Amino acid sequence: MPSHLFADRPAPQPPERGVVESLITRTRRLRGDVDAVRRDAVADEHDTRRRWQRALCDLAVHQLDDLGAHLGQLKNGLPGDGTESATAAAADQDDESGSLLNRVGSAEWNLLTDEVTWSPELYEIFGRPVGKGPMTLDELPSVMVPEDQSLLQALVTECLVDGKPIDSEFRVVRPDRRVRTLHMMGEPVLDSDGCTASMWAVLRDVSELRSSRRAVLESGDTLRRRERSARTEQRMVAELQEAVLPSWRGSLHSPQCRPGTLDLAGHYLPPTGGGLVGGDWFDALKLPDGNTLLTVGDLTGHGVTAASTMAMLLGAVRGMAVAGVQPGALMGHLNQLLDTADRPALGSAVCCRYRAETRTLVWAQAGHPAPLLFRDGTGRALTTLDGVLLGATSGAAYEQAEIQLLPGDLLVLHTGRLTDRTGVDRLLALGPRLTGARDAQGCVRTIVEEFGETGREDDACVLVARIGPERSDTPESP
């Protein structure tokens, strides 16, 4: 605010119209650009970041609308001063909430004559009929919310007695019961003796502006809480996976070097770009009867819920395999487990039981990609067996098959998300490189190099099992 006004001193003249018109044009152009960005930032109640961006755009638009309205008043002067009507000039700045100029009004309270003057816009702001006349300073607190009444009384007293300018906000209740937030800037008008003759003020309805600012703050807070929660959840999921998935994670050789022994390697591929971790798993386990369990699977959903359900299923798979349950029956039990779980979920899986003495593989699948068999540089998927998704229906039966493997054969078990984007043909095309790899870990490294590119939204798993030669002279692994 400028220094205290004097009643006998003429007010300063407004700036030249050309300068103001240029500012108005630039403001309108900027407002159009921001509004275009706002339209692109479509609000989505489930996307906190988009909500925060939209709230920032709304706030910027409100501020530019207010700036345009103030410049329009500056250009046209006060209504009734003989210049072009400010109200008419604001017609092209109207929006769905009404004329922007109706949100700015002025008032003067004369302490010598008790005369009160309100601009027409101020009546609109307060929702007060013009016929009732303006409100005195003593009457003004009666339309305020109770919490703000003492604030205004203190500000007016300091302005009139101590000459302090007013620059504050308060809330008023209109006759239609709508609460509006007003920003008041005022200061005393002094007479020739330096005594307060009247108080002059400009009041602006900033309700939409404050609402937009609150939306920005609230959406920003929500976004930060959501991001902190997501980081915590990701850490919990990673720790759970670390505890549940195989501890070897690299290459696991069978403890006895005999014909038909397995060279195993597995790898978990996390989602790229900060995606949520799902319920993918892989596992290989030496069983009490000398067989080896091979399994991969995937659950719907992401986060802690999917990871904890995965841990439950993998524990069930291990327990039933150790107990001697064959793959087909094992899938039936897993289906019942998911079907009766408190938290509904769907899953897919492949379960294999390998016997080294005979090089036979007994396997079953539940809505999951079949294992890939690579032999002499050529790969193919095993014939698909009957088996619906786990948890899809009660009492489902799962077909079981047995195949004979040969020395040097390579089995690749993977979750479906590994090949979602390019199909399984891309994986089969790696046949010459996989069969020519030195060991199972080299095969996994080749697959990860091929499929570990950016842009994968979900996690994936791969498990490689190479069948040992007829006779191995390699010393026993520690």
Side-chain angles (χ1 to χ4, degrees):
M1 294 288 289
S3 59
H4 303 324
L5 299 178
F6 285 85
D8 58 350
R9 181 178 298 175
Q13 296 300 309
E16 296 181 6
R17 291 174 60 88
V19 176
V20 178
E21 288 174 350
S22 175
L23 291 174
I24 291 175
T25 300
R26 290 158 60 186
T27 300
R28 289 176 179 172
R29 186 181 298 115
L30 180 58
R31 201 269 190 200
D33 294 341
V34 174
D35 195 43
V37 174
R38 180 175 65 167
R39 287 194 299 269
D40 293 337
V42 180
D44 183 352
E45 63 179 6
H46 302 296
D47 188 337
T48 53
R49 181 171 292 278
R50 299 286 285 185
R51 285 167 48 200
W52 172 69
Q53 292 172 343
R54 179 59 183 261
L56 279 176
C57 290
D58 289 341
L59 176 59
V61 168
H62 280 308
Q63 291 175 326
L64 289 170
D65 284 342
D66 284 344
L67 176 60
H70 300 331
L71 291 173
Q73 282 186 317
L74 190 60
K75 169 188 172 183
N76 295 285
L78 293 174
D81 64 354
T83 63
E84 178 185 353
S85 170
T87 302
D92 59 351
Q93 297 190 36
D94 287 0
D95 62 7
E96 65 275 8
S97 63
S99 174
L100 293 170
L101 292 183
N102 286 342
R103 296 212 300 263
V104 183
S106 62
E108 184 173 3
W109 292 271
N110 192 306
L111 304 183
L112 303 179
T113 64
D114 291 331
E115 181 183 0
V116 182
T117 304
W118 275 19
S119 70
E121 294 81 15
L122 200 56
Y123 286 98
E124 293 288 339
I125 291 175
F126 279 84
R128 184 177 177 85
V130 177
K132 297 185 66 173
M135 302 179 70
T136 67
L137 289 175
D138 293 332
E139 295 173 330
L140 202 56
S142 65
V143 298
M144 294 184 180
V145 297
E147 296 85 350
D148 294 350
Q149 292 176 359
S150 59
L151 170 64
L152 180 65
Q153 291 171 342
L155 292 173
V156 170
T157 299
E158 291 177 350
C159 179
L160 298 178
V161 176
D162 301 326
K164 292 183 178 180
I166 297 176
D167 186 356
S168 187
E169 294 181 3
F170 52 83
R171 293 161 294 169
V172 299
V173 182
R174 290 164 47 101
D176 57 9
R177 310 311 300 168
R178 293 169 59 196
V179 177
R180 309 297 292 175
T181 301
L182 305 185
H183 179 231
M184 182 178 187
M185 297 185 69
E187 59 183 30
V189 179
L190 308 180
D191 60 18
S192 57
D193 297 326
C195 298
T196 302
S198 62
M199 190 183 88
W200 174 84
V202 172
L203 293 95
R204 182 164 64 113
D205 186 341
V206 294
S207 303
E208 283 77 14
L209 185 61
R210 295 299 172 260
S211 177
S212 296
R213 286 181 176 173
R214 284 195 299 271
V216 170
L217 294 175
E218 291 170 0
S219 59
D221 290 342
T222 301
L223 176 61
R224 285 187 288 272
R225 287 195 300 270
R226 185 71 60 85
E227 290 177 342
R228 285 195 298 268
S229 177
R231 288 194 296 268
T232 301
E233 183 174 1
Q234 290 285 67
R235 184 173 62 253
M236 293 174 61
V237 171
E239 292 173 354
L240 184 57
Q241 283 187 329
E242 189 70 27
V244 173
L245 293 182
S247 58
W248 42 276
R249 294 292 183 92
S251 189
L252 176 66
H253 295 271
S254 184
Q256 299 180 6
C257 250
R258 61 179 185 272
T261 191
L262 289 179
D263 176 21
L264 298 166
H267 191 80
Y268 169 80
L269 289 82
T272 58
L276 291 175
V277 175
D280 289 37
W281 81 79
F282 71 94
D283 196 17
L285 181 66
K286 192 71 174 178
L287 302 175
D289 60 4
N291 294 345
T292 301
L293 167 71
L294 304 175
T295 180
V296 295
D298 180 21
L299 284 172
T300 57
H302 299 87
V304 174
T305 299
S308 59
T309 305
M310 176 270 289
M312 175 191 70
L313 283 186
L314 187 52
V317 169
R318 290 169 174 169
M320 287 187 283
V322 168
V325 179
Q326 294 299 303
L330 190 151
M331 288 296 185
H333 293 310
L334 287 183
N335 177 66
Q336 183 180 8
L337 187 61
L338 269 187
D339 185 52
T340 58
D342 293 335
R343 290 175 293 189
L346 294 175
S348 67
V350 166
C351 184
C352 308
R353 200 176 181 97
Y354 175 73
R355 179 173 290 276
E357 289 79 1
T358 59
R359 298 192 198 91
T360 54
L361 184 80
V362 180
W363 70 286
Q365 65 183 141
H368 198 88
L372 304 181
L373 173 61
F374 293 85
R375 180 178 292 170
D376 299 328
T378 301
R380 67 177 179 88
L382 299 184
T383 303
T384 301
L385 305 179
D386 290 336
V388 299
L389 287 170
L390 300 173
T393 183
S394 301
Y398 293 85
E399 185 181 1
Q400 179 175 290
E402 179 177 326
I403 63 169
Q404 182 69 47
L405 299 177
L406 300 178
D409 281 353
L410 187 73
L411 283 173
V412 175
L413 283 67
H414 66 92
T415 54
R417 292 182 178 129
L418 180 70
T419 56
D420 271 349
R421 298 174 58 201
T422 57
V424 74
D425 291 343
R426 182 180 169 194
L427 185 53
L428 291 174
L430 296 177
R433 295 173 59 187
L434 296 180
T435 54
R438 179 178 179 181
D439 53 18
Q441 185 61 44
C443 295
V444 166
R445 189 177 300 112
T446 297
I447 294 173
V448 172
E449 289 174 355
E450 184 71 20
F451 290 91
E453 74 279 6
T454 60
R456 187 182 57 260
E457 296 180 357
D458 287 297
D459 50 357
C461 288
V462 60
L463 177 64
V464 173
R466 184 196 289 272
I467 312 301
E470 285 282 1
R471 182 175 179 274
S472 176
D473 297 325
T474 304
E476 181 178 330
S477 302

